[in-house]
């Protein structure tokens, strides 16, 4: 973003080729450059996968097939899911981690800058493999982002490419996680004890641990799919003595912690934003850390609640139902703590705070529908219906995505040195929050009424709610163009931001100037 | 990279070492906790017959081991440059061992070599056609500042 | 060390519960080694799963 | 504020649903027609009410704070940041509420999983993209495919009342009988679901899982496949006709008669025009989903039949492809699904439709001979 290193007078005899333009970004090992790259990648992918969602909603505006062939529809739903998870939410959180973790800890850079560069540049490769598969004969992968065999075994070449892309993204996540863990543990400034770390660092530390524990499981699972497809093994093929349901067990053993990987950093961001605008310290900091750890531990023993309908014994259903319900307790602790942080504060409502409040409210709706789905008999009725679609979009759009918006508005002045346009920011917020609810709230009713997910066409009684959802989707989708405009406008210029930016802001990142210089904390700050 | 410059009576001392907040024992425990988690899960799936998880856990633990090894190797490293009177003394410890070099201040030149303006710069203390790199644990900006400081110090 | 082990068990219990007083948390961090916490965490995890299994067993017995 | 309105709407809907027993359900689960479905219905209502209560309390407090504790009204920030007593209380209360929910939920789980003492047993098999039903007690078997015409799906005709939720052969069961379902699949995962009967079970190839229902009321109940199973996942509905005991007996007799005449067809010899006419129907029900009504397939995914080497090559090889499928592709083996007469008819149709002008015909006896060969070879391979 901003490069002040050029400003220093020095003689440069004997320098070699100048990395310019593209080469500058390809070879950069600066945590701020890499953070920016991650965020740009996530933004591009957000618009790509968002356009797919709009195509899906356009097809579903009316019963009957209007725009899309059913097979292409399945390709869109699959790719929308894969890209939103692995190409938008995860890279965006990695971008925040790269920018903020060293700033918050008073470290000069990440522990392994070169590895950081590799971890980022693997992502566009995977992105190109995924998006490019639309052009292959037979089109992109259409078996759902969960990749269940035997359907996944039937597909063409793009299915193998998707497995390769998942491997590449997994490698990237592991390198990123190792970097974040070592940075947080080893690069803290003197006096920055673990207990003084901002909650964002804590949530990312736990997230990185979850990634390291579960990524080999995903890699193994997709590799077994690959060998089943191409080398005649029978891991998941019943005809050869395998078990297709075991894939679901292995997959969800990875993917349930993955769900928390997608939400814990969001908790971290919101826990930074709310105290700032309430002008009051975070309520129950220690409890927040313990609740995060508790959620992470529980995430390893609840995976089978994604598969209550595969037909498991009653005892197994009870086990997974009880342990899933318990997750509501630490999650509730977090929500109560956020509300208690606002209680008797001195609040102002700038855009980051608005997104954070919407996060607390709407994420809780997603939490309640999660509790409904935790009850096994109700889940069996609602599994694979639009109720589930509504549930995870409340968690991932008004949860993860809104926290990302909150974080961008919160730290953008620090990154660029310019204040964003508050009026445009508010427009973005209100259109997003209204649009988002119009899209996803009616989906609860669709699911209750019995509309299955992943269908390109539906029975007549589902028409009205689908039409409402489609209208909402276009409002929500197009209001993201405002977000793009705000970001571009802020990068280009605007009112100068002070180093503290927000009146109530606390933490090391607000002690460096805005924009944050290319290099910060060469000399470690001393934290008291 | 703490306390990069210290000035004692009459002498200019530059001392730097990589940032390191964990002790060796703590590092080892963090590594084994991570490795045990990944391996435990992989062994569980292998016992059920889904052994292909195991090689990936192995690769990941390998990467972790390399990373923690690199951290530990950095741990005891330091470099010190002292200018006292006419003597310039360099002392360092790196992954491949310790070293010491004494130079005569009048013959010393500071060379900086950047692959692009202000980026990927290395600075070395040269004398008699032979250079020793300094400021390895700083990054570019601080390194260039160090070069400027050293040049002004050596001119006197 | 016995006191330390008890302290580790308590810390793990609180972490499962999800609430912790700041002062106790600081004390935990000062007095406990990571190894103790890891071992206490593993034991706590196993104990937790066993408790859940017991609850399930009781439910199966008495809700038929 | 939009959110608030929607929330109020949802609250009213849930409240209304509890008050007026089973009225109109645009905002809740479908009207239950089995004991399990109604238990689930009440469980869901109870949980929704609890959630709404918590929501109102927590966010009532938050919105109160948002209004009262603003800087713009001059509120000064307090500086408390911890209160362990309060935290313990708000951890314990949800825990107690959860235990209150877990008890009734566990009872329903155990009732749902109890498939003992059935009055009758039906085996259900999922295919890409239709359902097969085998009545194990009566010996009746049939396939059930989507009855909505392509013209309605492609918006060329007005959509009927039960658009996409109608089949050619519905499943028929007697009212008030405990029906045990054995559910499996032939190719990929499917899931059999009729919301009003409260039975949903994944169909897993190579494994048989069971479920059960007992319909309270005579009527027609509709559902759909709910596990992504490929291109026509959205086009394999389920229709269950719940009828009286006497009607059920009559239906079984009728089905047995139809099976006998189909068996007789296998011994006959047809002329080419008869085969083509019959084959066109078989093609529309079984082949057109992939290979398309015009025989052109979908480039890159499903091959064309019009002008293909198989349909214009030796007739025996053509029959074998239909009988045994193409392992490793989406082309299923139709040997078990179709009778000899139907296979002969569809092969004849394919060889004489579109650009294919072979002029020949396959006879049921030919199919039977090839089928015998395949069955003789299969045990040897194992």
């Amino acid at each position: 973003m901003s490069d002040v290193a050029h400003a220093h007078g020095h003689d440069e005899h004997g320098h070699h080729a100048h990395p310019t333009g593209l080469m500058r970004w390809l070879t950069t090992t600066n945590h701020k450059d890499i953070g920016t790259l991650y965020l740009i990648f996530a933004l591009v992918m957000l618009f790509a996968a968002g356009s797919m969602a709009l195509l899906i909603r356009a097809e579903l505006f009316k019963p009957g097939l209007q725009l899309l062939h059913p097979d292409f529809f399945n390709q869109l739903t699959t790719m929308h899911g894969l890209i939103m998870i692995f190409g938008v939410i995860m890279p965006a959180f990695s971008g925040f981690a790269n920018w903020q973790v060293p700033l918050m800890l008073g470290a000069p850079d990440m522990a392994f800058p070169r590895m950081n560069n590799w971890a980022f540049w693997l992502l566009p490769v995977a992105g190109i493999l995924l998006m490019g598969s639309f052009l292959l004969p037979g089109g992109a992968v259409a078996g759902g982002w969960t990749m269940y065999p035997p359907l996944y075994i039937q597909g063409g070449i793009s299915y193998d490419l998707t497995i390769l892309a998942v491997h590449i993204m997994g490698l990237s996540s592991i390198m990123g996680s190792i970097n974040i863990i070592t940075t947080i543990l080893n690069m803290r400034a003197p006096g920055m004890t673990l207990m003084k770390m901002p909650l964002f660092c804590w949530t990312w530390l736990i997230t990185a641990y979850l990634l390291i524990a579960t990524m080999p499981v995903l890699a193994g699972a997709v590799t077994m799919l690959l060998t089943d497809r191409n080398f005649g093994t029978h891991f998941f093929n019943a005809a050869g003595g395998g078990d297709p349901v075991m894939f679901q067990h292995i997959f969800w053993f990875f993917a349930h912690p993955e769900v928390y990987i997608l939400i814990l950093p969001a908790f971290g961001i919101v826990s930074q934003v709310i105290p700032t605008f309430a002008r009051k310290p975070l309520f129950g900091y220690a409890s927040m850390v313990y609740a995060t750890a508790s959620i992470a531990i529980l995430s390893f023993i609840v995976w089978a609640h994604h598969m209550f309908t595969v037909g498991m014994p009653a005892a197994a259903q009870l086990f997974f139902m009880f342990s899933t319900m318990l997750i509501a307790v630490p999650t509730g602790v977090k929500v109560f703590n956020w509300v208690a942080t606002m209680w008797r504060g001195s609040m102002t409502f700038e855009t980051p705070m608005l997104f954070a409040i919407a996060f607390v409210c709407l994420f809780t709706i997603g939490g309640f529908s999660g509790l409904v789905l935790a009850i096994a008999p109700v889940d069996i009725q609602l599994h694979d219906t639009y109720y589930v679609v509504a549930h995870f979009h409340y968690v991932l759009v008004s949860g993860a995505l809104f926290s990302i918006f909150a974080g961008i508005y919160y730290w953008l002045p620090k990154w660029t040195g310019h204040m964003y346009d508050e009026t445009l920011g508010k427009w973005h917020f209100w259109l997003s929050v209204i649009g988002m609810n119009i899209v996803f709230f009616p989906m609860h009713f669709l699911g209750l009424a019995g509309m299955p997910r992943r269908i390109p066409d539906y029975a007549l009684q589902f028409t009205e709610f689908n039409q409402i959802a489609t209208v909402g989707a276009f409002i929500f989708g197009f209001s993201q163009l405002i977000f793009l405009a705000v970001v571009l406008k802020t990068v280009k210029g605007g009112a100068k931001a002070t180093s503290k930016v927000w009146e109530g802001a606390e933490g090391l990142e607000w002690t460096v100037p805005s924009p944050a210089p290319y290099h910060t904390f060469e000399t470690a700050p001393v934290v008291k | 990279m703490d306390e990069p410059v210290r000035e004692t009576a009459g002498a200019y001392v530059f001392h730097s070492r990589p940032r390191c907040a964990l002790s060796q024992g703590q590092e080892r425990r963090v590594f084994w906790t991570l490795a045990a988690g990944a391996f435990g899960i992989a062994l569980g799936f292998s016992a059920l017959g889904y052994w292909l998880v195991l090689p990936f856990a192995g690769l990941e633990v390998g990467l972790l081991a390399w990373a923690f090894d690199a951290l530990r190797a950095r741990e005891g490293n330091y470099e010190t440059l002292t200018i006292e009177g006419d003597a310039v003394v360099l002392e360092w410890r790196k992954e491949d061992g310790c070293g010491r070099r004494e130079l005569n201040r009048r013959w010393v030149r500071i060379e900086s070599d950047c692959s692009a303006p202000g980026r990927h710069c290395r600075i070395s203390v040269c004398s008699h056609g032979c250079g020793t790199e300094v400021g390895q644990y700083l990054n570019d900006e601080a390194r260039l500042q160090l070069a400027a400081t050293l040049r002004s110090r050596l001119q006197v | 060390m016995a006191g330390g082990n008890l302290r580790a068990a308590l810390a793990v219990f609180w972490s499962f519960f999800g609430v912790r007083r700041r002062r106790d948390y600081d004390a935990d961090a000062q007095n406990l080694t990571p190894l103790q916490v890891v071992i206490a965490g593993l034991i706590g995890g196993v104990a937790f799963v066993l408790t859940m299994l017991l609850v399930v067993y009781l439910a199966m017995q008495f809700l038929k | 504020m939009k959110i608030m309105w929607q929330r109020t709407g949802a609250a009213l809907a849930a409240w209304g649903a509890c008050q007026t027993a089973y009225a109109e359900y645009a905002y809740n689960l479908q009207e239950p027609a089995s004991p399990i479905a109604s238990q689930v219905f009440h469980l869901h209502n109870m949980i929704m009410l609890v959630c709404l209560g918590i929501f109102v309390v927590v966010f009532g407090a938050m919105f109160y704070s948002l209004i009262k504790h603003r800087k713009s009204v001059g509120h000064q920030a307090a500086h408390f940041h911890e209160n362990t007593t309060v935290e313990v209380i708000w951890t314990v209360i949800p825990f107690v509420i959860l235990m209150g929910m877990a008890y009734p939920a566990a009872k329903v789980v155990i009732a749902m999983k109890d498939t003992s003492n059935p009055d009758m047993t039906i085996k259900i098999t999922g295919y890409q993209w239709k359902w097969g039903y085998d009545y194990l007690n009566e010996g009746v078997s049939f396939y059930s495919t989507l009855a909505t015409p392509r013209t309605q799906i492609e918006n060329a005709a007005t959509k009927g009342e039960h658009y996409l939720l109608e089949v050619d052969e519905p499943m028929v069961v007697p009212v008030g009988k405990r029906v045990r379902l054995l559910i499996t699949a032939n190719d990929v995962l499917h899931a059999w679901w009729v919301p009003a009967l409260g039975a949903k079970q994944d169909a897993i190839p190579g494994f048989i899982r069971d479920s059960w229902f007992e319909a309270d009321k005579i009527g027609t109940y509709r559902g759909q496949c709910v596990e992504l199973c490929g291109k026509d996942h959205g086009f394999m509905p389920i229709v269950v006709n719940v009828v009286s005991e006497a009607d059920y007996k009559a239906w079984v007799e009728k089905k047995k008669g139809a099976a006998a005449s189909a068996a007789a067809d296998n011994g006959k010899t047809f002329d080419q025009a008869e085969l083509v006419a019959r084959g066109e129907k078989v093609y529309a029900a079984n082949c057109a989903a992939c290979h398309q009504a015009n025989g052109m397939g979908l480039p890159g995914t499903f091959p064309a039949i019009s002008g293909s080497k198989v349909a214009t090559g030796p007739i025996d090889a053509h029959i074998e492809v239909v009988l045994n499928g193409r392992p490793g592709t989406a082309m299923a083996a139709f040997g078990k699904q179709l009778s000899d007469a139907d296979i002969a008819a569809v092969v004849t149709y394919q060889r004489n439709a579109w650009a294919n002008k072979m002029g020949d015909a396959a006879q049921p006896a030919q199919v039977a001979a090839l089928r015998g060969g395949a069955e003789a070879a299969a045990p040897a391979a194992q």
Side-chain angles (χ1 to χ4, degrees), chain B residues 2-62:
Chain B
D2 359 331
E3 40 186 308
V5 178
R6 192 190 301 142
E7 231 156 325
T8 48
Y12 169 85
V13 182
F14 164 78
H15 180 80
S16 104
R17 57 194 181 82
R19 177 81 54 88
C20 187
L22 283 185
S23 74
Q24 274 202 18
Q26 284 172 325
E27 250 168 38
R28 222 177 358 229
R29 280 183 217 118
V30 170
F31 169 74
W32 283 112
T33 313
L34 291 169
F39 259 131
I41 291 166
L43 284 174
F45 282 115
S46 305
L48 295 171
Y50 299 87
W51 56 273
L52 263 170
V53 177
L54 202 54
F56 291 99
L59 282 175
E60 184 189 76
V61 172

Side-chain angles (χ1 to χ4, degrees), chain B residues 100-117:
Chain B
R100 184 186 156 88
R101 193 173 171 211
E102 283 191 46
L103 307 162
N104 188 315
R105 173 168 155 184
R106 289 170 207 288
W107 295 99
V108 169
R109 278 179 304 120
I110 304 295
E111 287 193 352
S112 58
D113 180 1
C114 297
S115 58

Side-chain angles (χ1 to χ4, degrees), chain A residues 56-67 456-460 462-463 466-467 470, chain D residues 153 155 159 163:
Chain A
I56 292 169
R57 282 313 324 166
E59 171 59 51
L60 291 175
F61 185 67
K62 279 199 302 189
L65 296 176
Q66 289 85 27
L67 302 168
D457 192 6
Y458 49 83
L460 301 181
F462 304 130
T463 311
N466 269 299
Q467 291 186 331
T470 299
Chain D
I153 295 171
N155 306 311
K159 294 177 173 49
Y163 175 70

Side-chain angles (χ1 to χ4, degrees), chain D residues 125-353:
Chain D
T125 310
Y127 297 87
Q128 282 174 319
W129 290 277
K130 59 176 165 276
W131 292 99
Y133 297 95
D134 295 284
Y135 285 62
L136 298 184
N137 309 72
E138 289 80 2
V140 170
S141 293
F142 58 92
Y143 292 93
S144 174
T145 46
L146 177 73
T148 304
R150 295 299 301 178
T151 47
Q152 289 187 17
I153 295 171
E154 279 149 13
N155 306 311
T158 318
K159 294 177 173 49
E161 188 194 353
H162 297 300
Y163 175 70
L164 289 190
L165 294 179
E166 51 201 345
V167 295
D168 54 353
E169 289 267 19
M171 172 174 161
V172 178
V173 292
V175 68
K177 288 278 192 263
R178 213 173 142 88
V179 183
R180 181 169 181 236
L181 306 171
L182 299 177
I183 297 172
T184 186
N186 187 53
D187 31 47
V188 300
L189 298 173
H190 303 269
W192 192 89
W193 182 39
V194 178
L197 298 176
K200 180 190 279 171
Q201 173 60 52
D202 286 2
I204 302 156
F207 293 84
I208 293 180
R209 297 285 155 90
D210 63 354
S211 181
W212 71 280
F213 68 83
E214 184 186 314
D216 291 333
K217 286 174 278 195
I218 289 175
T220 304
Y221 303 102
R222 295 165 200 276
Q224 276 176 278
C225 173
V226 280
E227 180 66 62
L228 180 62
C229 55
K231 182 175 78 69
D232 278 359
H233 164 53
F235 304 93
M236 51 183 291
I238 296 151
V239 178
V240 178
N241 274 344
V242 176
V243 297
S244 68
E245 184 73 30
D247 287 350
Y248 176 70
K249 290 243 164 61
W251 176 80
V252 169
E253 289 314 311
K254 201 182 99 201
K255 285 311 272 184
K256 282 188 172 157
S261 76
D265 277 358
N266 288 344
K268 282 190 202 157
T269 304
F270 297 90
D271 63 34
Q272 203 213 20
E274 271 180 303
L275 284 167
V276 168
R278 180 175 182 156
E280 188 166 6
K281 286 189 199 120
V282 177
Y283 183 88
N286 294 285
C287 317
C290 298
H291 296 290
Q292 306 299 309
N294 60 8
M296 295 311 292
L298 291 171
T301 317
F302 303 115
I305 297 178
S306 180
S308 83
K309 287 203 182 96
V310 173
T312 56
I315 195 160
D316 281 1
H318 187 177
I319 294 171
E320 267 178 347
V321 170
V322 177
L323 269 177
N324 304 323
R326 288 244 195 246
T329 69
M331 177 64 197
F334 285 91
K336 281 191 200 135
Q337 301 179 29
L338 299 177
S339 70
D340 293 347
D342 283 341
I343 291 181
V346 80
V347 166
T348 309
Y349 171 70
Q350 288 176 2
R351 298 177 78 80
N352 295 290

Side-chain angles (χ1 to χ4, degrees), chain A residues 19-99:
Chain A
T20 49
L22 185 65
M23 280 311 282
R24 172 195 164 183
W25 293 101
L26 276 174
T27 57
T28 184
T29 55
N30 182 285
H31 73 101
K32 299 182 184 87
D33 280 354
I34 294 174
T36 306
L37 285 172
Y38 267 113
L39 289 167
I40 292 172
F41 178 77
L43 189 64
V44 172
M45 285 294 154
L46 175 72
F47 280 96
S51 320
M52 293 177 200
L54 289 188
L55 275 177
I56 292 169
R57 282 313 324 166
E59 171 59 51
L60 291 175
F61 185 67
K62 279 199 302 189
L65 296 176
Q66 289 85 27
L67 302 168
L68 309 175
H69 185 270
D71 192 52
F72 187 58
F73 182 91
N74 288 345
Q75 293 174 26
L76 287 178
T77 52
T78 305
M79 293 293 280
H80 168 76
L82 276 173
I83 292 180
M84 280 294 186
I85 290 169
F86 292 105
V88 179
I89 306 286
M90 287 175 74
F93 284 144
S94 298
F96 280 112
N98 270 292
W99 255 103

Side-chain angles (χ1 to χ4, degrees), chain B residues 67-81:
Chain B
F68 277 85
D69 195 54
L71 283 187
R72 233 193 26 219
R74 283 180 203 174
E75 198 165 285
N77 293 358
Y78 69 90
E79 53 178 41
T80 310
L81 183 151

Side-chain angles (χ1 to χ4, degrees), chain A residues 287 310 344-345 383 449 457, chain D residues 30 69 75 87 163 200 209:
Chain A
S287 294
V310 299
R344 293 181 54 209
H383 179 75
D457 192 6
Chain D
Q30 287 185 20
H69 305 151
H75 194 272
E87 287 179 67
Y163 175 70
K200 180 190 279 171
R209 297 285 155 90

